[in-house]
C-alpha cells in the first residue's frame, strides 16, 4: 500500500470514528432531553387555625382547627412527553388534618383525587379515577365557597347542597376536559356504579362549560347522582362523603365574574333537587318524607374581592338560599341568609395569615332545622357565628 493510499485509509477511519462519536453524543443528548421532559412535582397546602363558635349545640366553643378555609392536603403531579403534543399524566392528592395528622375524606389515602390519563395539546385531556365533577370544575371557581385553591370551608351554601365546596368526589370516573378554544372550555364526566346488573345504582354524570373574555367570565354546570352511596357502596359516590342520604340528587347552575382593576365582583346561582330524602347532615329526626319531591335548594350568591395592597386582600359574600322541605308535618319553606368576610395578609407568595367571620340565620318555617355553619356543630337556635384566625402555607 502506498503512503498516499495509507493516508486516505486513515482519514476514512478517523471520519467513521468521528461519525460514531457524534451519533453517540446525539443519542445521549436525546435521551437526556426525553428524561427532562418527564417530571413529577410534589405540592401541598397546610391550613391551621383557631375557631370560635358562639353556639355549638348550645355552648360557645374555642377549638383548634384544620382546613377552616382550605383543606390541608399534599399531592403528586406527574407528566411524561409522548411526542406529537401528547402527554401521559397522573395526579394523586391526600387530604389530612393538621391538628391530629389523621386522614380526611373517609380515611382514604388519596381522598382528594387519584387519576391517570392522556392529554393532547390540540384537543384536551381524558382521565380515569377519583375526580371532581363538572360543577366543581367550571362553576365553583366563580363562587366564594368554591374559589380555588380548595374553596372556603366555613362558607358553604347550606349543607354544601350544590357541592361547590367538594363535599364529595366521584369514584370510578371517566372525564374529558377540553383545551381552550378562544376562551371557551367544556367537559363532561361519568362515574360508573361498578355493579353487575345495576348500571344506574349509584352512578353520577355531569357536564360543564366556561368562557373567559378578558375581565369577564361565565360558567355553567350540571350533575345528577342516582341512588348515591345508599345500597351500592362501591359506586360513584361514597356515603361517608355526603351531607344528604337520598335516592336522587341533581344540581345545575350558572355564574358570572367581572374583574375591575384590583378587584372583582361575581354572582352565582345554583339549584339542587333531592328525591327520596332520608337524612340531612346526619340528622334523621326531622320526620322527612321519602317521596319524589324530598327537598330543593335555590342558592343566590353575590361575592366580591379587592386587593387593598400587594399584601392585603379582602373577600366577602352574601348568599340567600330558598328551600323547600317535605316532612311528616307537611311542606316547609326554610330560608337561609349567610354572610362571610375574609381578610388575608400575605407574608410571602406561599404563606398568608387570615381572619374569617361567617354569620348564618335561618327562618326555618317550622321545619325543625337550625343554623348550621359548615364544619361546626349545629346551633340550637336560628343563628350561628363562627370566626377563624389561621395560617396557610403552600409548598
Amino acid at each position: 500500500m502506498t503512503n498516499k493510499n495509507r493516508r486516505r485509509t486513515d482519514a476514512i477511519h478517523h471520519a467513521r470514528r468521528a461519525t460514531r462519536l457524534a451519533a453517540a453524543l446525539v443519542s445521549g443528548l436525546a435521551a437526556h432531553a426525553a428524561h427532562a421532559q418527564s417530571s413529577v412535582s410534589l405540592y401541598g397546602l397546610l391550613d391551621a387555625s383557631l375557631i370560635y363558635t358562639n353556639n355549638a349545640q348550645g355552648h360557645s366553643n374555642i377549638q383548634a382547627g384544620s382546613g377552616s378555609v382550605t383543606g390541608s392536603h399534599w399531592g403528586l403531579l406527574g407528566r411524561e412527553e409522548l411526542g406529537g403534543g401528547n402527554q401521559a399524566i397522573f395526579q394523586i392528592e391526600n387530604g389530612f388534618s393538621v391538628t391530629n395528622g389523621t386522614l380526611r375524606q373517609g380515611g382514604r389515602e388519596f381522598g382528594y383525587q387519584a387519576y391517570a390519563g392522556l392529554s393532547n395539546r390540540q384537543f384536551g385531556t381524558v382521565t380515569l379515577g377519583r375526580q371532581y365533577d363538572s360543577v366543581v370544575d367550571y362553576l365553583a371557581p366563580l363562587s366564594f365557597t368554591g374559589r380555588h385553591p380548595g374553596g372556603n370551608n366555613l362558607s358553604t351554601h347550606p349543607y354544601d347542597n350544590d357541592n361547590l365546596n367538594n363535599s364529595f368526589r366521584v369514584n370510578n370516573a371517566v372525564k374529558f376536559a377540553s383545551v381552550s378554544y378562544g376562551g371557551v372550555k367544556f367537559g363532561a364526566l361519568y362515574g360508573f356504579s361498578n355493579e353487575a346488573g345495576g348500571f344506574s345504582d349509584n352512578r353520577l354524570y355531569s357536564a360543564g362549560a366556561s368562557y373567559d373574555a378578558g375581565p369577564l367570565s361565565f360558567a355553567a354546570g350540571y350533575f345528577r347522582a342516582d341512588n348515591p352511596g345508599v345500597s351500592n357502596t362501591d359506586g360513584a359516590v361514597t356515603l361517608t362523603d355526603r351531607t344528604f342520604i337520598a335516592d336522587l340528587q341533581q344540581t345545575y347552575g350558572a355564574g358570572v365574574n367581572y374583574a375591575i382593576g384590583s378587584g372583582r365582583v361575581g354572582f352565582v346561582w345554583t339549584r339542587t333537587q333531592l328525591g327520596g330524602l332520608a337524612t340531612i347532615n346526619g340528622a334523621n329526626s326531622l320526620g322527612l318524607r321519602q317521596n319524589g319531591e324530598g327537598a330543593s335548594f335555590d342558592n343566590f350568591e353575590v361575592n366580591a374581592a379587592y386587593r387593598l395592597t400587594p399584601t392585603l386582600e379582602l373577600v366577602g359574600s352574601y348568599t340567600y338560599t330558598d328551600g323547600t322541605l317535605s316532612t311528616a308535618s307537611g311542606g316547609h319553606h326554610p330560608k337561609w341568609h349567610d354572610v362571610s368576610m375574609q381578610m388575608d395578609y400575605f407574608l410571602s407568595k406561599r404563606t398568608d395569615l387570615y381572619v374569617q367571620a361567617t354569620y348564618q340565620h335561618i327562618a326555618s318555617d317550622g321545619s325543625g332545622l337550625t343554623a348550621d355553619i359548615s364544619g361546626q356543630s349545629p346551633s340550637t337556635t336560628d343563628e350561628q357565628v363562627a370566626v377563624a384566625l389561621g395560617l396557610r402555607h403552600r409548598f
Side-chain angles (χ1 to χ4, degrees), residues 15 28 40 46 63 68 79 88 90 96 98 103 145 151 175 200 225 243 248 274 280 301 316 368 373 384 388:
V40 176
L46 293 89
Q63 59 182 313
S68 296
R79 296 182 180 276
F90 77 86
F96 64 95
V98 171
L103 297 174
T145 181
K175 178 193 285 191
S200 63
T243 54
L248 167 70
L274 298 157
I280 297 178
E301 178 192 310
I373 293 175
Q384 191 172 47

Side-chain angles (χ1 to χ4, degrees), residues 203-282:
R203 68 175 177 181
L204 185 147
Y205 51 90
S206 67
S210 64
Y211 175 61
D212 292 316
L216 191 61
S217 300
F218 296 96
Y222 170 81
F223 78 77
R224 172 176 171 136
D226 293 300
N227 197 27
V230 179
S231 58
N232 174 18
T233 58
D234 295 324
V237 180
T238 305
L239 196 60
T240 55
D241 293 340
R242 293 174 46 71
T243 54
F244 303 107
I245 296 178
D247 296 335
L248 167 70
Q249 180 175 351
Q250 65 176 353
T251 293
Y252 48 90
V256 59
N257 269 199
Y258 188 76
I260 307 172
S262 298
R264 63 171 179 80
V265 294
F267 172 77
V268 171
W269 164 76
T270 61
R271 177 172 174 79
T272 294
Q273 296 171 300
L274 298 157
L277 181 63
T279 69
I280 297 178
N281 212 22

Side-chain angles (χ1 to χ4, degrees), residues 49-395:
S49 64
L50 294 175
I51 309 168
Y52 165 77
T53 309
N54 74 320
N55 186 324
Q57 295 183 339
H59 305 279
S60 60
N61 189 26
I62 299 177
Q63 59 182 313
S66 175
S68 296
V69 172
T70 309
S72 299
H73 63 278
W74 66 270
L76 294 173
L77 178 64
R79 296 182 180 276
E80 181 189 11
E81 291 289 346
L82 302 176
N86 299 308
Q87 291 182 328
I89 62 172
F90 77 86
Q91 187 170 14
I92 51 177
E93 286 186 313
N94 168 285
F96 64 95
S97 169
V98 171
T99 55
N100 56 28
T102 57
L103 297 174
R104 293 291 179 88
Q105 290 81 48
R108 292 178 178 83
E109 185 172 2
F110 298 109
Y112 263 51
Q113 295 189 93
Y115 65 79
L118 295 173
S119 177
N120 179 275
R121 292 174 185 171
Q122 285 185 293
F123 301 105
T125 303
V126 176
T127 49
L128 296 89
R130 177 176 169 85
Q131 303 175 75
Y132 298 133
D133 65 74
S134 301
V135 172
V136 171
D137 284 339
Y138 296 96
L139 182 56
L142 302 188
S143 72
F144 179 64
T145 181
R147 192 167 65 112
H148 293 307
N152 196 303
N153 294 331
L154 283 178
S155 303
T156 67
H157 299 161
Y159 316 112
D160 196 21
N161 64 81
D162 46 20
N163 202 42
L164 290 185
N165 196 246
N166 311 328
S167 286
F168 65 84
R169 280 78 169 171
V170 186
N171 301 320
N172 316 324
V174 178
K175 178 193 285 191
F176 170 75
S178 78
V179 298
S180 177
Y181 296 101
V184 176
K185 296 180 181 180
F186 55 89
L189 172 146
Y190 190 94
F192 288 86
S193 72
N194 278 9
E195 181 180 351
F199 190 78
S200 63
D201 184 17
N202 194 4
R203 68 175 177 181
L204 185 147
Y205 51 90
S206 67
S210 64
Y211 175 61
D212 292 316
L216 191 61
S217 300
F218 296 96
Y222 170 81
F223 78 77
R224 172 176 171 136
D226 293 300
N227 197 27
V230 179
S231 58
N232 174 18
T233 58
D234 295 324
V237 180
T238 305
L239 196 60
T240 55
D241 293 340
R242 293 174 46 71
T243 54
F244 303 107
I245 296 178
D247 296 335
L248 167 70
Q249 180 175 351
Q250 65 176 353
T251 293
Y252 48 90
V256 59
N257 269 199
Y258 188 76
I260 307 172
S262 298
R264 63 171 179 80
V265 294
F267 172 77
V268 171
W269 164 76
T270 61
R271 177 172 174 79
T272 294
Q273 296 171 300
L274 298 157
L277 181 63
T279 69
I280 297 178
N281 212 22
N284 56 8
S285 59
L286 302 174
L288 297 169
R289 288 180 178 173
Q290 298 187 44
N291 55 24
E293 296 179 1
S296 67
F297 300 84
D298 281 283
N299 307 284
F300 304 88
E301 178 192 310
V302 178
N303 60 69
Y306 188 76
R307 185 61 68 100
L308 300 170
T309 72
T311 59
L312 189 63
E313 184 180 39
L314 183 64
V315 188
S317 72
Y318 166 72
T319 301
Y320 169 72
T321 300
D322 185 12
T324 62
L325 186 67
S326 179
T327 72
S329 60
H332 303 280
H333 299 277
K335 304 179 188 304
W336 289 261
H337 301 270
D338 188 289
V339 179
S340 294
M341 296 293 294
Q342 180 181 324
M343 182 174 288
D344 277 286
Y345 180 72
F346 293 88
L347 302 173
S348 69
K349 290 183 179 180
R350 298 192 301 168
T351 305
D352 65 297
L353 296 170
Y354 67 82
V355 58
Q356 181 181 335
T358 297
Y359 167 77
Q360 185 183 102
H361 172 79
I362 177 175
S364 65
D365 189 34
S367 64
L369 296 171
T370 61
D372 190 350
I373 293 175
S374 176
Q376 311 306 302
S377 297
S379 172
T380 57
T381 69
D382 59 3
E383 294 183 326
Q384 191 172 47
V385 175
V387 180
L389 175 63
L391 168 72
R392 287 186 295 183
H393 176 74
R394 303 159 182 84
F395 61 89

